[in-house]
Amino acid sequence: MAAEGRTTADPPSHQGCAISSVRLRLPAQRGELRDRHEDGHRLHHLLWRLGPGVRVCSSAVLGGGIGPRAWILNAQVPGGYPRLDPDRHLAEIAAAEGLTGPGAALMTAADVAAYTTGHDGGVTATVTAGLGVRGWAAAPDTATRAPHRPEDAGAPASPFRPGTVNIVVALPVALSDAALVNAVATATEAKVQALLDAGLDCSGTPTDAVCVAAPEPGQDGGEPFAGPRSTWGARIARAVHTAVLAGARTAP
């Protein structure tokens, strides 16, 4: 969804990370779209202020794994990303937002302001899609390349094509450890299904990432299952499929 209706004036461009609020009054599960100027680039990021009592399972560059998280950040970076310390870069953006405590942060060269969402039975999936560099997960060994080396990004011979699909899923119910891992797998299955339904011959991109956020479980341990035929797994799958399909149909 594009960032229509913004009224905040652009801040002056300068070196560093200048951030201004362009909050769209979206429901909390859909995140908050933010605007910043960094090294002469106008960029966006999505921010979820989760607060206490939420844990996240993710493959995020910063704060990946399973554990309590107070926030999630999905940050746009320039094409041909030159830095070799993405975790530190994301920590700098989080600090500029005044975020404290543990968090999970993703990055992408795709246009974050063009995010898409899917909703099903209380589950919300938010997706940013760049599909310029895509392929099949089980590729020949000769096709394997390190995703963050500068020489791999933005080759001078052709325009940089952003290639990352980031998925953030928010649930209203607690999941067990196993179900959290299962939820990431379910979201990934739904992503692949959506890419195929969009007519793309691929399973994703080399740098795709997933975050699943849910309340911390109580004494009952949380929902035990999140596979695609379980109650909450099916809702995750449908929400992710909706969001990825919409993003894939318009992604560069």
Side-chain angles (χ1 to χ4, degrees), residues 19 34 47 49 71 91-101:
I19 295 176
R34 304 281 284 177
L47 172 59
R49 302 179 190 271
W71 47 270
E92 292 168 356
I93 298 171
E97 282 283 7
L99 301 175
T100 59

Side-chain angles (χ1 to χ4, degrees), residues 189-214:
E189 289 184 47
K191 175 197 72 175
V192 176
Q193 181 181 347
L195 294 176
L196 295 178
D197 287 346
L200 299 174
D201 188 24
C202 66
S203 59
T205 87
T207 53
D208 292 354
V210 180
C211 280
V212 176

Side-chain angles (χ1 to χ4, degrees), residues 53-205:
V54 177
R55 65 176 187 162
V56 172
C57 178
S58 80
S59 57
V61 173
L62 175 68
I66 300 178
R69 300 290 185 267
W71 47 270
I72 298 173
L73 180 70
N74 183 14
Q76 181 182 358
V77 297
Y81 185 67
R83 294 182 59 160
L84 297 177
D85 58 346
D87 53 344
R88 181 175 179 179
H89 186 192
L90 289 166
E92 292 168 356
I93 298 171
E97 282 283 7
L99 301 175
T100 59
L106 320 167
M107 63 170 44
T108 179
D111 181 7
V112 168
Y115 70 92
T116 54
T117 59
H119 311 273
D120 194 287
V123 174
T124 297
T126 305
V127 169
T128 55
L131 290 159
V133 181
R134 59 181 184 263
W136 292 101
D141 186 60
T142 53
T144 302
R145 307 178 72 186
H148 292 300
R149 295 184 302 179
E151 61 268 27
D152 285 347
S158 62
F160 181 82
R161 298 176 301 158
T164 299
V165 178
N166 284 341
I167 301 171
V168 176
V169 178
L171 292 93
V173 298
L175 300 178
S176 69
D177 285 359
L180 274 173
V181 174
N182 205 173
V184 171
T186 296
T188 302
E189 289 184 47
K191 175 197 72 175
V192 176
Q193 181 181 347
L195 294 176
L196 295 178
D197 287 346
L200 299 174
D201 188 24
C202 66
S203 59
T205 87

